[in-house]
Amino acid sequence: MTVTDDGQTASADTGGGTWTQAPEDDSPDPIADVDATGVEHAGNRYLVVSLPLGEFEISVDWDAEDPGTMLRDALAADPTIAVATNAGIFTEQLVPGGLLVSDGQELVPINLNQGGGNFHLMPNAVFAVYDDHAAVVESHAYAPEGVREATQSGPALLLDGEIHHEFNEGSTNLAVRSGVGVSPDGQTVYLAQSWTLTNFWDFATLFRDELGVEDALYLDGDISALWVTGMGEPGPLDGPYAGIITARARSSQ
């Protein structure tokens, strides 16, 4: 696992707490070889995790009976998780704000309503995983056929390579941000979280210019956390979330 481009310990005040990668000799052994890299873009720093679908199985996990998920509790319950991050925006009642599909079961329906806040900054979008590819699609274009895992959030960062029309270069609307993008061939999922405060424009261009992504979705802001195997245990501010995106290494057998 690579966490910074210079191989050093990384620490960042994320607004919801401080993310720190423990020194190498104190870190637990990683359970999988995960490409997790520090990326400099537009004066900001980001943690970017690359997940080829041929190597990793990606899930969207949410328990409606116990909706508030802490990352450390999820990891304790399933030690095979190699990567975990918050899924989309959720309500004060810890219910996903829009569509959530887990293991082929639709737990929350698509939300096409108008409203306020980032979720309803249209267009918003769905991150969906199928048997042989993944995609980010505008919410009105979403079709449930063949979807195994999905989460809806907003706003869309990129659709067909176009930056969301409400984003402004140089905006002072700064926050920690997390998001998900998919390679144009649908075979690699990218998870990203900013280590510094960033605006929507720069976050969208991270996916477009650094990762070659044409479709990407904002997941959430200052409450975001992105954990990778080999890091220390997530902290008390890493949750609760209404749904998490997880990745597990596929068996080589």
Side-chain angles (χ1 to χ4, degrees):
M1 178 186 69
T2 302
V3 174
T4 64
D5 43 2
D6 57 9
Q8 301 299 311
T9 296
S11 177
D13 183 355
T14 64
T18 299
W19 178 91
T20 302
Q21 170 64 15
E24 184 175 337
D25 56 358
D26 292 336
S27 300
D29 292 335
I31 63 170
D33 185 10
V34 178
D35 181 359
T37 305
V39 175
E40 295 269 4
H41 174 72
N44 295 311
R45 290 182 60 81
Y46 303 85
L47 175 62
V48 175
V49 177
S50 303
L51 297 168
L53 294 184
E55 301 175 19
F56 292 92
E57 181 176 359
I58 297 175
S59 301
V60 179
D61 305 319
W62 181 60
D63 183 353
E65 298 300 319
D66 184 19
T69 301
M70 301 296 296
L71 280 194
R72 61 184 178 184
D73 292 341
L75 299 176
D78 185 353
T80 69
I81 294 174
V83 179
T85 192
N86 49 284
I89 293 171
F90 49 88
T91 70
E92 293 181 356
Q93 293 73 38
L94 289 172
V95 174
L99 178 77
L100 191 138
V101 178
S102 183
D103 196 22
Q105 182 179 3
E106 184 181 287
L107 303 180
V108 181
I110 193 84
N111 181 353
L112 301 178
N113 298 328
Q114 299 293 317
N118 286 329
F119 183 93
H120 296 285
L121 187 58
M122 300 299 183
N124 58 25
V126 172
F127 165 63
V129 181
Y130 305 80
D131 285 338
D132 60 356
H133 72 287
V136 170
V137 297
E138 195 273 331
S139 293
H140 287 85
Y142 170 77
E145 289 78 18
V147 173
R148 182 170 55 79
E149 314 286 337
T151 183
Q152 181 186 13
S153 193
L157 298 171
L158 296 168
L159 291 172
D160 295 326
E162 296 295 326
I163 299 174
H164 193 291
H165 63 89
E166 293 282 353
F167 298 173
N168 296 306
E169 188 171 7
S171 169
T172 57
N173 178 16
L174 304 175
V176 169
R177 305 191 189 278
S178 66
V180 58
V182 179
S183 61
D185 65 1
Q187 296 305 304
T188 302
V189 171
Y190 299 98
L191 298 173
Q193 180 189 352
S194 63
W195 280 342
T196 49
L197 303 181
T198 188
N199 61 38
F200 276 128
W201 179 277
D202 290 342
F203 197 38
T205 57
L206 166 77
F207 284 94
R208 185 192 66 182
D209 299 344
E210 305 292 345
L211 306 178
V213 166
E214 296 178 356
D215 301 291
L217 174 63
Y218 175 68
L219 292 175
D220 217 330
D222 287 336
I223 65 166
S224 298
L226 176 53
W227 179 89
V228 181
T229 178
M231 291 181 178
E233 181 182 273
L237 298 179
D238 295 335
Y241 303 120
I244 59 173
I245 298 171
T246 59
R248 299 163 179 83
R250 295 187 185 275
S251 173
S252 58
Q253 298 180 350

